[in-house]
Amino acid sequence: MPTSVKAYSATSPTSGLAPTMISRRDLGPRDVAIDIHYAGICHSDIHTVRADWRTPEYPVVPGHEITGVVTAIGSEVEKFTPGARVGVGCFVDSCRECRSCTTGLEQYCSGKGMVSTYGGRGRDGLPTYGGYSGAIVVDERYVLRIPAALRLDVAAPLLCAGITMYSPLRHWGAGPGRNVAIVGLGGLGHLGVKLAAAMGADVTVLSQSLKKMEDGLRMGAHRYFSASDPATFSMLHDEFDLVINTVSANLKMGAYLGIVALDGTLVEIGAPPKPLEIAFGHLAMRRRSLSGSIIGGITETQQMLDFCATHAVMPEIEVIEPEYINDAYDRVLSSDVRYRFVIDAASLRN
Ligand code: NAP
Ligand code: ZN
Ligand code: ZN
């Protein structure tokens, strides 16, 4: 018998989030049942619910920054036992056979594609529901171990925001002697600063204003600039080996490509609603690269969690009750978040 679980769902782009009940599947042999303790609020949850990218299949139960505790395991589970502290990120399945899946890049699964933690369709053909709920059932292959040094509330944002920044920083070689700029100091951006600093890179923040400068410098940035001041872009022209753009809105790409050094790379992480506008010269005049990146694979996500535990890279969070989700969404949209909302799911557990 599938289990009935309390959750928060949206039923249309404008409905807001409201309490509901959902069901979770029976444990398969490789499944673990997880009591959800915390779920981070990612800006992608808001894009999805409000149909910024495309119209999702409603109801949507968002949440892909999940931490909790294993309560039961299927007969063939090897990695976890009841009581284990675990996390679930942005996907809960993939084809497991394609070149991406067999090389730890499940997020780029070229088979049937990854199965999103919410808003997707599981192998059983049923819609997937995310972490704004009391419990979830996930195949152990897609479940992460939370190191003892990380609290479950603090760890939650690492499951999306953390890995989304860690993966491109590693891929493009952030480290000593490398000049890295992080654009936008929100949920993703603040972890980008902490991770890049922990990797030993020289870190600069470009934010809409200087309001969060003190925070940015405390998090490990060496320099902090306002992107609203045109002088910033002339001063930083040709400066960075790597620019990671986390902004959720469309920016003037020419200005941001202009601060990339010869042979450097601008990586698009934020998912703005409209296509990017780029002129030939923005790329060609300094042989610059423009790329994008999404989250990270399971092995790399575990590496990132272990790295954060070792280097004390801790998300800065505001823990909220589920009733506050709609207010939290409004505050994220007005860049009024320091630096990630995390839902305490205690009242949603059976
Ligand atoms: P967030 O907490 O809202 O942070 C975004 C930051 O961008 C804001 O704090 C703000 O920073 C800046 N910003 C917002 N609106 C802006 C505007 N109109 N102009 C200039 N700057 C603006 O969001 P998040 O959760 O970090 O997510 C950021 C984006 O990444 C979203 O689009 C999300 O969907 C996407 N995302 C992508 C992936 C991936 O795998 N690629 C994963 C997760 C999320 P300042 O106040 O410092 O300027
Ligand atoms: Zn996310
Ligand atoms: Zn695959």
Side-chain angles (χ1 to χ4, degrees), residues 64-209:
H64 57 208
E65 294 185 336
I66 301 168
T67 56
V69 173
V70 172
T71 52
I73 58 172
S75 56
E76 291 170 21
V77 167
E78 290 168 357
K79 272 167 65 184
F80 303 100
T81 51
R85 300 162 78 250
V86 293
V88 178
C90 295
F91 55 93
V92 288
D93 210 340
S94 61
C95 87
R96 310 173 190 209
E97 287 164 2
C98 72
R99 208 169 82 178
S100 299
C101 284
T102 53
T103 55
L105 295 167
E106 298 91 344
Q107 73 274 33
Y108 302 117
C109 173
S110 56
K112 292 177 215 145
M114 63 171 165
V115 175
S116 303
T117 303
Y118 63 83
R121 289 255 167 196
R123 290 194 161 192
D124 52 11
L126 297 173
T128 54
Y129 296 125
Y132 297 10
S133 62
I136 192 167
V137 174
V138 183
D139 186 302
E140 67 166 338
R141 190 188 183 292
Y142 299 88
V143 177
L144 288 308
R145 187 180 39 76
I146 305 294
L150 299 176
R151 276 175 20 206
L152 289 182
D153 55 351
V154 168
L158 296 175
L159 277 307
C160 172
I163 184 60
T164 298
M165 300 309 290
Y166 182 89
S167 187
L169 286 167
R170 280 282 187 238
H171 183 77
W172 278 279
R178 302 278 283 174
N179 223 344
V180 175
I182 304 290
V183 184
L185 195 70
L188 266 54
H190 93 287
L191 286 172
V193 170
K194 290 186 179 212
L195 286 164
M199 290 173 190
D202 195 295
V203 188
T204 298
V205 175
L206 269 81
S207 179
Q208 294 169 90
S209 73

